[in-house]
Amino acid sequence: MKAPLSWLREYVDLPPVTAHEVAERLTAAGLKLERIISHGHDVKNVVVGEVLEIEELTGFKKPIRHCKVEVGEATPREIVCGASNFVAGDRVPVVLPGGVLPGGFEVGARKTYGRLSEGMICSERELGLGDDHDGIMVLPPETPIGTDVVELLGLRDDVIEMEISPDISYAMSMRGVAREAAIAFGVPFHDPADLQPPAAAEEAWPAWIADATACDRFVLREVRGFDPAAKSPLWMRVRLTRAGMRPVSLAVDITNYVMLEMGQPLHAFDRAKLTGEIVVRRAEPGERLETLDHVVRELHPEDILITDQSGPISMAGTMGGLATEISETTTDVVIEAAHFSAPGISRESRAHNLVSESSKRFERGVDRELPVVATWRAVTMLAELGGAAIQPGLTHAEVEVEPARIAIPAAYPGQVGGVPYPKETVVRRLEQVGCTVADGDDPAIRRGGVAPTAVVTGGEIAARLAVTGPDMITVTPPSWRTDLTDPADLAEEVIRLEGYDGLPSVLPKAPAGAGLTETQRLRRRVGRVLADHGYVEVLSYPFIGQADLDNLQLPADDDRRRATRLTNPISDDEPYMRTTLLPGLLKTLVRNVGRGFADISLFESGLVYRAKPGATATAPVFGVERAPAGEELAALEAALPAQPERLAVVLAGEFERSGWWGKGRQATWADAVEAARMAAAQAGVELRVAADQHEPWHPGRCAALYAGDTLVGHAGELHPRVIEAYGLPPRTCAMEMELTRLDLRGPVNAPAVSAYPVATQDVALIVAAGTPEASVAAALREGAGDLLESIRLFDVYTGAQVGEGNKSLAYTLRFRAPERTLTVEETTAARDAAVALAADRVGASLRGA
């Protein structure tokens, strides 16, 4: 919203303050300042002159005129001009030598086209009054010669531009901004809507409302004998331009002027082009309308239309139809103003990608009481400026709407702001914004005597504050404050007008609690241990697309393909909530490799979204007028996807860096498995590893990770087709596991440390080459019994000494008893038992036996 300061002063008795001081007060009141635009402050030495003689110069590509202009000096000025829309005797604005035009353009005396030019005759655009550059600006003949044009035309002005948030629609008008300025400075406010239209006993044009949900007030007035050649006065064109609108014609300019002045959008119809009664309704299937921008639009069933017997003639509150527009021959005009549904206009505007100054106001909420006054203001201006005759009729179709009433304790604003406000202050501030305040709790609200949608009660607030009787007040917000709907809104009004700077800066008390949950603690411990081992944490968007699932080579029946689709996705390429962490990590890995980081280890922990078996396709949507009931919450919970906490890592390139100290080591599937083991160890869980086949991993290099008998994830080397699909480095490895499946029984207890010495036994077993090492280790661990403290694989050998198709696995077994020193016989017996079970389970034999 752009508010010229000179226009603002017409409605507010402002003291002699600058635009910056006004902007500061408005900002303190809650209106966000964008910028202040200054006009005409650099203009000087521009006066009114009278053209005495005009000599047409020939021999040039365009018409050139040499003029003698009287400017109130001893002798006339000689000026060369290329415009031809003025004649001798016209009064025109003249910039004398040494003068300055808007933008710092200096004008001097110079020789041009063979003649001396002592200044310049100006157009409206050169004076910064508009975009008209078709010819010289001709002033009224009675304008005194030599008058300062800056003062005459009001060239010097400041425009305060503000960003209006959706909740303060009243500020999208000079009326609304002026009211805020009057409150801020404590000075009188002159309401431009304070008019008394005459009573009307007949209709201006037959009209009615067919859909009360689309419109609850529709007003028409009529003028006849309008002069279509009448031009908008300069002051109106200047104000429209500085307020951000382009002057078009007198009839259209008047409707725009009243909209900027009062905040009520208007529309002008050519009466001769209307046929039959006007009806406000929703669109019907197959209807179309060619709007003023010459676009034929397919109308939607929810669109709000203004129609006559010919069909749609206007998209209500958004843009008029071409068939009934005001033309150069229009003499009879019907002015329309209405109060349309804000959500309806918002949906209509967005559905057609058609945003207008009118729709911006309607979708935020317009004063319901303005249509009668605004139409009277418009027809009065058409009569004064366009010579029209106002017809006595008035069409006023209306649906009764009960005004909202809000009952709150008078102390409630102070409770919200943390500053005690006396009841008198609360009442005064609410009345300043236009509210009607009555003492007590209106019994009609308690009985439900008015429409529920129009009532807000402070019963719960009063009960919480133990306030009753005269300390309760009932507030009726004004019609222009559609944002005041509940007690919190009223509290905000009191607080902002009293000043946000008066609120104390007090830190809230931290409520007593148990601190972090065990899941949160585990997530932090896992992050720390992975970071300590060289992994870098990343955060990816939780969105995936069909291409991500295809690139992972997932089967058609894989549960990870049952993704939850977003109603309004950020990107059409990623419309689903992720069911796995891998796509985001893999794309991050590719991005880093593309920027020269070939050796990289990444991890991410976060939620995934897995559809529940039998869940409904979409979650139910409930209203905001009450809290959902138990069965409604259950239905909502059933529709939501499961959201387990998962951890994933990806590795590529060198895991141990090479350098002067040695050769380094490439990342392998074993590193991915080890990352899972380190994470599980933070929960006090020892993982069991088994060979598996699971997409997107390589079928021969994939490990299933178990916590007891519970599958918690997979790790290994990615499938070559996945690597190719994502453009990953060769032999990229990954791990993904579900942290929520780890059995968290509380804080992890440190293992007991025995004071007795450890007994070590080494054993080398020969097994078939295809035997998983995890199966051998599991057999040894089970066979060794309770005395076994740990088992470690320290060598793998294949070659002639173990036979073709075999491999040798060498382990170190550590035995320890908590209460005594073990004997050699005990450790040997435990080792032999372990070897015997391995022989029975996997066919292992001692190497060298």
Side-chain angles (χ1 to χ4, degrees), residues 286-326:
E287 285 190 307
R288 307 168 75 190
L289 174 65
E290 185 175 3
T291 46
L292 292 173
D293 56 357
H294 299 276
V295 176
V296 178
R297 303 184 185 276
E298 300 287 341
L299 301 176
H300 306 300
E302 289 192 350
D303 290 345
I304 304 173
L305 302 180
I306 300 174
T307 66
D308 64 5
Q309 287 185 356
S310 67
I313 58 175
S314 177
M315 292 178 64
T318 305
M319 185 173 286
L322 189 64
T324 55
E325 74 168 332
I326 300 296

Side-chain angles (χ1 to χ4, degrees), residues 522-541:
L522 173 62
R523 183 173 179 175
R524 293 191 178 189
R525 290 198 302 268
V526 168
R528 283 194 292 267
V529 73
L530 290 177
D532 288 343
H533 285 78
Y535 290 85
V536 177
E537 184 175 16
V538 299
L539 294 175
S540 305
Y541 282 117

Side-chain angles (χ1 to χ4, degrees), residues 591-610:
R591 190 176 304 113
N592 279 271
V593 171
R595 284 159 175 75
F597 298 96
D599 306 317
I600 191 164
S601 306
L602 304 175
F603 83 94
E604 180 175 9
S605 59
L607 301 180
V608 298
Y609 306 85
R610 296 290 187 91

Side-chain angles (χ1 to χ4, degrees), residues 463-517:
R464 191 160 61 246
L465 300 179
V467 177
T468 57
D471 288 321
M472 292 290 293
I473 58 175
T474 298
V475 182
T476 303
S479 57
W480 60 83
R481 291 303 301 270
T482 57
D483 58 308
L484 302 182
T485 59
D486 57 54
D489 297 327
L490 301 181
E492 181 183 5
E493 290 301 298
V494 175
I495 293 169
R496 77 177 181 89
L497 294 180
E498 282 295 297
Y500 292 117
D501 54 351
L503 297 179
S505 180
V506 179
L507 290 175
K509 294 181 180 178
L516 299 178
T517 65

Side-chain angles (χ1 to χ4, degrees), residues 149-163:
V149 170
V150 172
E151 298 297 331
L152 175 70
L153 303 181
L155 294 183
R156 292 193 180 98
D157 201 358
D158 291 306
V159 177
I160 303 171
E161 183 176 355
M162 294 157 289
E163 179 184 332

Side-chain angles (χ1 to χ4, degrees), residues 789-803:
E789 181 180 80
S790 67
I791 179 172
R792 182 175 69 89
L793 176 69
F794 68 86
D795 184 56
V796 178
Y797 171 75
T798 57
Q801 295 183 22
V802 296

